Amino acid sequence: MSLFGDGLDAAVQKTFTRPAPKTAPAQMRYLVRQLKGTRAVARMLRISQRTVERYVKDQIKKPRPDLAARLEREVKKRWQPQIRARARQKAATTGGIVIDTRARLGYTAPIGSTDQDRIRHLTVALPPQYAARLFDAQESGASDRQLREIAAEALKEVYFQDNGRRAGSLEEVRFTDIEHLEFDL
């Protein structure tokens, strides 16, 4: 489970125009349409093809908790791809992204400055270039650590350095012990 990846996905999912299917049979029918067959869905969800067919025919209505979680994750991953792409494109070109976090933030700076790490609650609007970097890194399969480094670099520029107006000698921002993290487009 990726804190940053899931947060970015949740921000994009807020832009959906219609709700994703809620019941297991409806989710299964959607996946069968998307993957063009019950065999592909069965392989993806690691269940038998016959079980998929029974969900599609409404013979089974309530999945096991682990299957329900996999099913919901796969449906949300594929739901409204054009809306998802449009929201990412808008954030990466004009809108930017808002990060709301409560975490331990500190920085490396010259001797004599107060660079002690401390818990901070920040809500910061990041410029579009950082939204683009976050989404591109997520698309290429970047780890949570890499996404955290991009976010730390964005916070360094926007929050600590105020887009070059202060703290010019700041070297590195440490972004650790994340208690809360949420993105919004």
Side-chain angles (χ1 to χ4, degrees):
M1 204 160 128
S2 168
L3 184 65
F4 281 83
D6 292 345
L8 289 170
D9 286 340
V12 171
Q13 288 170 8
K14 289 177 188 174
T15 65
F16 287 168
T17 57
R18 291 179 298 141
K22 297 266 189 264
T23 66
Q27 290 173 335
M28 201 64 79
R29 284 190 288 274
Y30 174 75
L31 287 176
V32 168
R33 275 195 312 274
Q34 289 295 305
L35 299 177
K36 298 177 181 24
T38 55
R39 180 174 289 150
V41 174
R43 196 174 308 121
M44 178 186 64
L45 294 173
R46 299 184 306 275
I47 57 176
S48 72
Q49 185 176 354
R50 179 68 186 128
T51 303
V52 172
E53 292 166 357
R54 290 172 64 200
Y55 274 107
V56 169
K57 292 180 182 177
D58 272 338
Q59 293 173 345
I60 305 176
K61 297 185 188 288
K62 185 95 171 107
R64 303 180 314 267
D66 62 324
L67 175 60
R70 286 195 311 261
L71 190 58
E72 185 174 344
R73 185 177 60 244
E74 293 299 329
V75 167
K76 283 190 175 180
K77 189 188 315 180
R78 290 170 174 76
W79 188 248
Q80 293 191 328
Q82 293 174 334
I83 303 283
R84 182 185 307 269
R86 200 174 314 133
R88 286 175 176 239
Q89 182 65 31
K90 181 181 176 197
T93 55
T94 57
I97 193 166
V98 175
I99 182 172
D100 178 45
T101 186
R102 179 168 166 76
R104 184 169 299 281
L105 289 157
Y107 50 88
T108 307
I111 296 174
S113 64
T114 58
D115 60 352
Q116 185 67 35
D117 292 3
R118 65 178 185 255
I119 297 286
R120 301 173 197 241
H121 181 236
L122 301 177
T123 302
V124 179
L126 303 179
Q129 68 263 23
Y130 286 108
R133 285 183 57 196
L134 283 167
F135 285 130
D136 290 344
Q138 183 189 26
E139 286 287 318
S140 65
S143 68
D144 216 33
R145 185 184 60 76
Q146 292 167 318
L147 292 171
R148 186 176 67 231
E149 287 172 3
I150 294 170
E153 186 179 325
L155 289 173
K156 170 187 167 188
E157 182 182 318
V158 176
Y159 178 74
F160 288 107
Q161 291 183 328
D162 196 17
N163 296 318
R165 288 191 278 276
R166 64 173 183 220
S169 60
L170 203 61
E171 297 168 13
E172 175 194 15
V173 170
R174 291 181 299 278
F175 188 22
T176 58
D177 299 339
I178 300 169
E179 296 175 5
H180 167 76
L181 179 72
E182 190 176 326
F183 291 98
D184 200 8
L185 302 180

